[in-house]
Amino acid sequence: MFNTKDLQNEIIKLKKENDICVLAHSYQTQDILEVADFVGDSFALSRLASTAPQKTLLMCGVRFMAETAKILSPQKKVILSHPDAGCPMAEQLTVEELRELKKQYPQCAVVVYINSTSELKTECDVCVTSASALGVVSKMPQKDILFIPDCNLGSWIAKQLPEKNFHFIKGGCPVHMQITPEEVDIARAKHPNALLLVHPECLKAVTERADFAGSTTEIINYVAKSDAKQFIIGTDNTIVQHLQFEHPQKEFYPLSKGCICKDMRLTTLVDVLNCIKGTAGEEILIPDETIKKARICIDRMLG
Ligand code: 13P
Ligand code: SF4
């Protein structure tokens, strides 16, 4: 029987032999992060996807991340680690609905969260991630912004840019939105000395009670720089585990036991091995015209 280390060694050997770069979102499990060439938030993964020298990219994450990698590197083969790993938020607004909205808000620039389909991106002015949104939107000349599909990230950005008029339609991350303000009160009462760090996909009532809100990488960097010894973490609970691995002398508590992204959990270490062998995963194929149009708004973000 194989153990974790055997599987990891096989993956490391085969990915080199097959010229495959393994990209892993920070929500993947520790055993997968250990075999990845790059680990990061959506913003870092977008950048790395276009600079990796390998001919094949294996994205351990969810579909919009693999699609972004394909859009930025159309000449490469891009594999999504599990065919069913989607992001429910990415499916919340259709292109047809967006076309109607653009008629209702003709004065607005359309800012689309990267957690969206390639097709939706073809109709948008600029793409953002949670790490890049504030910087990107603050530099936009337009005052009126239609921010889709994440109302929570959008409201968090809007609060910091009062000079702009934001419009939100619907949408948000079902995983982060299930964290309640009551859970914040309970966690604060239980761990009075801990700092509360949350992802801006959380509800406004949660984000505004936090000591810090940021992308997964920003949360990880915040902990690394902080002198505090205890942290309550309001994002996917794998981050609690990764932080505990990296900082054994500090203490980390999940804000909500239910904050687990099922889609991110679908990929296993065996899937990673089988993707590398060519017997699992899904090759991402996007029509050239969609790639060309969707790339415009992603390039505007990357600068
Ligand atoms: P990050 O950009 O922070 O990685 O967020 C992506 C995501 O899907 C969080 O739920
Ligand atoms: Fe999508 Fe939420 Fe999962 Fe992130 S945590 S991939 S936004 S469902």
Side-chain angles (χ1 to χ4, degrees):
M1 198 176 83
F2 276 94
N3 63 29
T4 305
K5 205 76 220 148
D6 294 332
L7 285 174
Q8 289 179 320
N9 288 338
E10 186 73 356
I11 290 169
I12 291 164
K13 180 171 90 72
L14 289 179
K15 73 173 181 174
K16 278 197 194 118
E17 281 173 20
N18 295 317
D19 197 30
I20 298 176
C21 173
V22 178
L23 299 163
H25 186 266
S26 323
Y27 289 166
Q28 296 292 294
T29 47
Q30 181 71 21
D31 53 351
I32 294 176
L33 300 196
E34 286 173 6
V35 296
D37 295 274
F38 298 108
V39 176
D41 61 5
S42 330
F43 185 70
L45 292 178
S46 311
R47 276 216 186 284
L48 293 165
S50 55
T51 53
Q54 291 89 344
K55 288 200 182 73
T56 301
L57 304 176
L58 169 57
M59 180 62 77
C60 302
V62 294
R63 185 168 294 273
F64 78 82
M65 296 173 179
E67 287 189 2
T68 305
K70 182 68 183 174
I71 292 166
L72 289 169
S73 303
Q75 75 291 357
K76 290 185 187 172
K77 182 172 177 177
V78 176
I79 316 277
L80 171 62
S81 54
H82 195 295
D84 299 332
C87 167
M89 183 170 16
E91 310 292 335
Q92 285 169 344
L93 195 67
T94 66
V95 182
E96 291 71 33
E97 285 171 314
L98 176 57
R99 288 196 187 119
E100 283 308 308
L101 287 168
K102 284 167 75 169
K103 285 184 204 153
Q104 282 174 45
Y105 298 93
Q107 79 287 12
C108 284
V110 181
V111 176
V112 65
Y113 193 26
I114 197 164
N115 300 38
S116 52
T117 60
S118 311
E119 289 74 29
L120 199 72
K121 290 185 179 86
T122 63
E123 291 278 339
C124 299
D125 294 303
V126 66
C127 177
V128 294
T129 69
S130 54
S132 67
L134 183 61
V136 169
V137 181
S138 67
K139 289 193 198 99
M140 288 173 73
Q142 297 92 336
K143 196 171 156 59
D144 293 287
I145 307 288
L146 179 61
F147 194 105
I148 54 169
D150 190 342
C151 301
N152 300 301
L153 172 66
S155 315
W156 180 69
I157 301 298
K159 200 173 164 214
Q160 297 167 82
L161 298 174
E163 68 279 15
K164 297 207 184 266
N165 301 326
F166 280 78
H167 302 272
F168 309 112
I169 304 308
K170 58 175 182 179
C173 165
V175 179
H176 287 83
M177 282 167 69
Q178 53 86 41
I179 303 177
T180 62
E182 291 71 33
E183 284 178 298
V184 174
D185 294 338
I186 293 167
R188 288 270 201 208
K190 223 168 154 187
H191 310 290
N193 299 320
L195 292 179
L196 173 63
L197 317 182
V198 306
H199 199 282
E201 286 173 8
C202 292
L203 295 174
K204 197 166 162 234
V206 170
T207 307
E208 59 193 16
R209 286 168 142 91
D211 295 295
F212 175 76
S215 77
T216 49
T217 300
E218 288 172 329
I219 290 175
I220 291 166
N221 292 344
Y222 185 98
V223 169
K225 288 196 190 122
S226 171
D227 293 330
K229 296 277 177 278
Q230 298 183 341
F231 302 87
I232 303 161
I233 304 296
T235 190
D236 183 280
N237 288 337
T238 46
I239 299 296
V240 178
Q241 293 175 17
H242 301 329
L243 286 168
Q244 197 64 80
F245 260 95
E246 273 179 55
H247 305 279
Q249 74 290 4
K250 298 188 177 189
E251 288 169 28
F252 301 92
Y253 313 103
L255 172 56
S256 167
K257 282 188 185 147
C259 194
I260 295 168
C261 178
K262 290 201 297 286
D263 287 87
M264 285 284 184
R265 288 294 75 68
L266 282 175
T267 304
T268 64
L269 191 64
V270 174
D271 290 328
V272 178
L273 177 60
N274 289 337
C275 285
I276 289 174
K277 287 179 172 169
T279 60
E282 179 186 322
E283 180 174 358
I284 299 293
L285 299 169
I286 306 174
D288 290 346
E289 198 50 27
T290 307
I291 291 189
K292 220 168 97 191
K293 287 194 192 150
R295 186 171 178 145
I296 298 170
C297 75
I298 301 174
D299 278 342
R300 283 192 186 130
M301 166 180 76
L302 294 174

